[in-house]
Amino acid sequence: MLVLCFVFCLLFYGQKAHSASEHASQDHGSDILDFIDPLVGSRSGGNVFAGATLPYGMAKAVADVDGGNTGGFSTDGSNITGFSALHDSGTGGNPSLGNFPIFPQVCPEDDINSCKFPIAARAMPYKNESVKARPGYFGVELENGIHADMTVAEHTALFRFDFSRAFSANGSGNPLIMLDLTDLWASRQNASISIEANDGEEAGRIKGNGTFLPSFGAGSYQAYFCLDVAGGRIKDSGVWVNDRAGTGPKQLYVTRGFNLFYLQAGGYLRFKGPLNGTINARMGLSFISTEQACQNAENEIPGPNFDFERLVTRAEGAWRAKLAPIATSTGDVDASFQTSFWSAIYRTMISPQDYTGENPHWQSTEPYFDSFYCIWDMWRVQLPFLTILDPKMMSNMIRSLLDTYRHRGWLPDCMMSTCKGWTQGGSDADNVIVDAYVKNLTGIDWELAYSAILNDAENEPLEWSIEGRGGLNSWKTLHYIPYLDFDPVGFGTNSRSISRTLEYSYNDFNLAKLAKGLGKDTYTTYLSRSTNWQNLFQPSQTSFINGTNTNFIGFFQPKYQNGTWGYQDPIACSPLTDFCSLTSNPSETFESSAWEYMFFVPHDIGRVIELLGGDDTFLRRLDYFHTSGLADIGNEPVFLTVYMPHYAGRPGLSARRVHSYIPSRFNTSSSGLPGNDDSGAMASFTLFSMLGLFPNPGQNVYFITPPFFPEISVTNQLTNMTATIRSVNFDKAYKNIYVQSAKLNGEVYTRSWIGHEFFTQGWTLELVLGDRESEWGTRGEDRPPSMSTGGEGMEW
Ligand SMILES: *[C@@H]1O[C@H](CO)[C@@H](O)[C@H](O)[C@H]1NC(C)=O
Ligand SMILES: *[C@@H]1O[C@H](CO)[C@@H](O)[C@H](O)[C@H]1NC(C)=O
Ligand SMILES: *[C@@H]1O[C@H](CO)[C@@H](O)[C@H](O)[C@H]1NC(C)=O
Ligand SMILES: *[C@@H]1O[C@H](CO)[C@@H](O)[C@H](O)[C@H]1NC(C)=O
Ligand SMILES: *[C@@H]1O[C@H](CO)[C@@H](O)[C@H](O)[C@H]1NC(C)=O
Ligand SMILES: *[C@@H]1O[C@H](CO)[C@@H](O)[C@H](O)[C@H]1NC(C)=O
Ligand SMILES: *[C@@H]1O[C@H](CO)[C@@H](O)[C@H](O)[C@H]1NC(C)=O
Ligand SMILES: *[C@@H]1O[C@H](CO)[C@@H](O)[C@H](O)[C@H]1NC(C)=O
Ligand SMILES: *[C@@H]1O[C@H](CO)[C@@H](O)[C@H](O)[C@H]1NC(C)=O
Ligand SMILES: *[C@@H]1O[C@H](CO)[C@@H](O)[C@H](O)[C@H]1NC(C)=O
Ligand SMILES: *[C@@H]1O[C@H](CO)[C@@H](O)[C@H](O)[C@H]1NC(C)=O
């Protein structure tokens, strides 16, 4: 009966969904790229990369500023110091990459030593209104009238500098392009440069390399460049050191000497002015060698005449192709919601970055992705979104994670600029891989995946600050991570006992799931370990704010090895108190409070509800959490809490909460993110919420809430089927945000959640909306599944 319906539904609704999506696409009436604003989240801590990149591209060209420059550029009123083409997006802490910036100048009086070489001296304001950011393109004009345009290929950027407005009225001046052997963090250790240019010729080449430090990780990395500059006749060339330059020598090697003293140095090329056109600077990059950087440049942007417009067109085409599977019918929804939605989708494909062919650490025919920065941020919503939108690429990313395990012995937890990044919580690549498994991604060696995750669960590395898990002896024997654990086996920052216990529990749940799927009887061991979180629940723990009892009882608390409870104020590490990271204020909960972590049991919210006293007290606690200032909406652990009312039979409260945060905390302003985008995590929270289907990754579960548009459809790359979610009584003022009833493929649908088959099999979900909560989704059997209370996917 069910099978028959499936076949029927596939044939009938698959067709229907297709025609609906065609209609929806026409609804745009304009170029989808017009709805993408790369500047969203580029200031006030969003740290979004606002420049030109291909989807997952390694070359990322933008102007770098001396203010909030974690992602290179920001409209925060700070000055431009250079133009560089390696970047990360949305990350926190130290700025990443930004290697080998170039900078255009005209030296006053034509004296080379009157040009400004050191970074603080050359920093220059730009014209605010001149900033233009579009997918595949970034442009800005400096205060002195030099206009910079940039676009990219895979590993090569093309910069175009127009000096015409920068010359004095009589048109004199000799344009100079300088290169600084530095990065945004000034982490360079040693570096080399050589200039290949003959005076009077029409182009010159500068190449070189340097050793730098990863912004949130261990070790160092080497980066290589090959810069070709053309557009006039070369006047002279040379190197510079500190604030002096000269035409000889043509090579330079800098290192760090006395007290690791940092020497500013680089090279330059100067052209005979005035010019009748622009100076083009093609920057080839590599993590392998200078030679490979030159090859990348020559293959991707052939000369001698670099075709800027063709590259922009190609990049735009690449972005349109990535966005093509999604269509919205917008009704007359405010255009800012369109911009929020499409800009967020765009940001999910800036990182991870495809460094295939650029892996300096091992040789392999497998794909190589970098900038998993960090998986702690990405596993929750960003990578699950790519599983929907771009499953082939997601499968390549997982192959890359597994290849890393094969060659380095461990799955990465964080990774940037080819280095190992710091571990934040559990072994979160486990969650990524199992999410892909339950969603049937193809092309993955699942036995290899099993051994990689088993390794995380069973073997403690010497340095668990960069891979694997710590405290595994305690985990296996005491069944929790103790406060002030005794762990002579491996080393890491010995904090976060509560959040690590919670994360390891979920990692083990996911391992159990994969083990079960692959027919391994080890699944019972890990299923049992996935309940360890309960050992840190202190049922009598209270919580006070400023001496006032919040009247909520029962919180996770630290526990010593001997079983005695420790104590951490449940509001510690919340926005009401201090931020707790690995280094600042390290605590038993990581980057969030015991209040927030109370809701971090993704596989057993049913049991959390029981422990907290049932639906009503659970919902009251959630509400208090979100309205008291305790919730940190700017960081990833909070995401799932927004959708938790689904587990208490009140999906309408989740919908209401979503609208309390969008657009008030996630909007189209350049300051429109409440925290670091973290690659594309904030982006993915926004877009999943607007889509009306929010994942609980690792499980075949999406929570249903009304989408922000009357209709959205998504075509699956693996099956070519188109899924559609559509609202009846849609209201653009968002008063009708409560589902009254639903139909799946024309049949009454009472569950408040749905599986990934919705996408792969191209189903149609129709939601009838109203302005108050209804009975829909309230019954026990209609709630999402939990380990303790059961449901689909929880049969063991
Ligand atoms: C440009 O924008 C920045 C940041 O908003 C502001 O501080 C600065 O005053 C603006 N400059 C001009 C010339 O308007
Ligand atoms: C930017 O540069 C200008 C001119 O050199 C200087 O006056 C200004 O203080 C700088 N702005 C910042 C934020 O450093
Ligand atoms: C052009 O302007 C520059 C700088 O203002 C000046 O030094 C030069 O003498 C001028 N040249 C002519 C031909 O007027
Ligand atoms: C630069 O420094 C790195 C790290 O100290 C070292 O491994 C590398 O060999 C050095 N390169 C050169 C050319 O000196
Ligand atoms: C680094 O750059 C220097 C200067 O161009 C060059 O001599 C050297 O061969 C480069 N090293 C590599 C590994 O490409
Ligand atoms: C620009 O100048 C070059 C010589 O420097 C000349 O060959 C070329 O024809 C000029 N182009 C234009 C458009 O005037
Ligand atoms: C606690 O008291 C401080 C100082 O009076 C006040 O600034 C803060 O807002 C209070 N916090 C809460 C959550 O009431
Ligand atoms: C358990 O260990 C803690 C920390 O060392 C200590 O404060 C506590 O008294 C111990 N409890 C018992 C029952 O020994
Ligand atoms: C946009 O989001 C930012 C960051 O959360 C927030 O500070 C700002 O108030 C929001 N703007 C509007 C108009 O809601
Ligand atoms: C999906 O469509 C593409 C392009 O039309 C085709 O190449 C591919 O074979 C189709 N895949 C499936 C699973 O039907
Ligand atoms: C995955 O494949 C299994 C076996 O064919 C199927 O039962 C399940 O519905 C599929 N899941 C998804 C999410 O497509």
Side-chain angles (χ1 to χ4, degrees), residues 43 74-78 126-129 143:
R43 71 185 269 192
S74 173
T75 50
D76 61 359
S78 59
Y126 58 90
K127 299 177 179 167
N128 285 353
E129 68 288 357
E143 190 185 51

Side-chain angles (χ1 to χ4, degrees), residues 284-613:
L285 294 153
S286 174
F287 289 100
I288 300 290
S289 68
T290 303
E291 194 173 65
Q292 184 153 324
C294 294
Q295 273 163 15
N296 284 341
E298 284 157 14
N299 295 341
E300 295 170 8
I301 310 182
N305 300 313
F306 310 130
D307 190 342
F308 190 92
E309 301 307 332
R310 190 191 66 86
L311 279 168
V312 173
T313 303
R314 178 174 173 261
E316 288 176 347
W319 280 108
R320 277 191 206 101
K322 285 294 180 196
L323 302 170
I326 299 192
T328 56
S329 104
T330 55
D332 46 2
V333 170
D334 193 310
S336 69
F337 287 108
Q338 287 259 71
T339 302
S340 259
F341 184 67
W342 292 105
S343 301
I345 295 173
Y346 167 80
R347 297 207 306 280
T348 63
M349 290 175 277
I350 297 180
S351 287
Q353 301 180 22
D354 190 347
Y355 283 11
T356 304
E358 294 294 338
N359 177 1
H361 300 291
W362 64 88
Q363 302 247 310
S364 167
T365 54
E366 285 294 281
Y368 176 67
F369 280 78
D370 202 281
S371 291
F372 286 102
Y373 194 173
C374 293
I375 294 180
W376 187 83
D377 306 296
M378 296 173 122
W379 73 268
R380 301 166 207 258
V381 278
Q382 183 181 355
L383 299 178
F385 178 67
L386 296 179
T387 297
I388 295 171
L389 182 72
D390 205 355
K392 289 180 187 164
M393 206 46 95
M394 191 58 224
S395 155
N396 285 348
M397 287 178 205
I398 288 173
R399 283 167 55 189
S400 172
L401 294 175
L402 293 176
D403 204 44
T404 304
Y405 162 69
R406 204 193 327 243
H407 288 92
R408 280 185 157 171
W410 297 94
L411 288 167
D413 196 53
C414 192
M415 206 174 160
M416 76 285 305
S417 30
T418 82
C419 296
K420 298 178 181 184
W422 307 123
T423 305
Q424 290 167 282
S427 40
D428 292 327
D430 306 355
N431 302 345
V432 174
I433 293 167
V434 175
D435 189 50
Y437 179 73
V438 301
K439 294 171 184 172
N440 286 352
L441 283 202
T442 51
I444 296 162
D445 179 346
W446 295 115
E447 288 294 333
L448 179 64
Y450 174 74
S451 64
I453 301 176
L454 192 68
N455 182 49
D456 282 337
E458 288 301 320
N459 305 318
E460 181 168 327
L462 178 65
E463 287 192 57
W464 52 266
S465 55
I466 43 171
E467 53 210 1
R469 310 189 204 165
L472 279 180
N473 280 346
S474 297
W475 186 245
K476 292 175 198 171
T477 56
L478 299 173
H479 311 297
Y480 60 93
I481 295 298
Y483 182 34
L484 305 178
D485 193 16
F486 173 61
D487 178 11
V489 177
F491 303 93
T493 44
N494 201 8
S495 58
R496 302 162 289 140
S497 62
I498 294 174
S499 48
R500 282 166 52 215
T501 294
L502 296 171
E503 291 216 27
Y504 295 178
S505 297
Y506 196 50
N507 298 152
D508 280 340
F509 172 82
N510 280 322
L511 174 52
K513 196 144 225 196
L514 181 61
K516 180 88 191 306
L518 297 177
K520 319 245 181 229
D521 54 17
T522 50
Y523 82 89
T524 53
T525 305
Y526 299 106
L527 194 62
S528 158
R529 277 167 47 165
S530 81
T531 64
N532 284 359
W533 61 273
Q534 299 193 41
N535 297 325
L536 294 190
F537 182 70
Q538 217 291 36
S540 62
Q541 181 62 52
T542 53
S543 173
F544 287 69
I545 298 181
N546 282 351
T548 304
N549 196 336
T550 61
N551 290 318
F552 293 100
I553 187 162
F555 289 90
F556 292 122
Q557 282 293 299
K559 193 186 264 183
Y560 291 104
Q561 272 180 304
N562 61 13
T564 299
W565 287 109
Y567 173 72
Q568 178 175 305
D569 187 337
I571 72 167
C573 308
S574 77
L576 298 180
T577 62
D578 293 325
F579 189 68
C580 307
S581 68
L582 290 178
T583 47
S584 98
N585 206 17
S587 300
E588 298 318 296
T589 50
F590 178 70
E591 288 197 356
S592 190
S593 60
W595 260 91
E596 192 159 310
Y597 275 108
M598 191 62 241
F599 305 110
F600 185 73
V601 187
H603 50 310
D604 209 356
I605 300 300
R607 179 74 185 130
V608 171
I609 292 175
E610 281 170 16
L611 290 173
L612 297 188

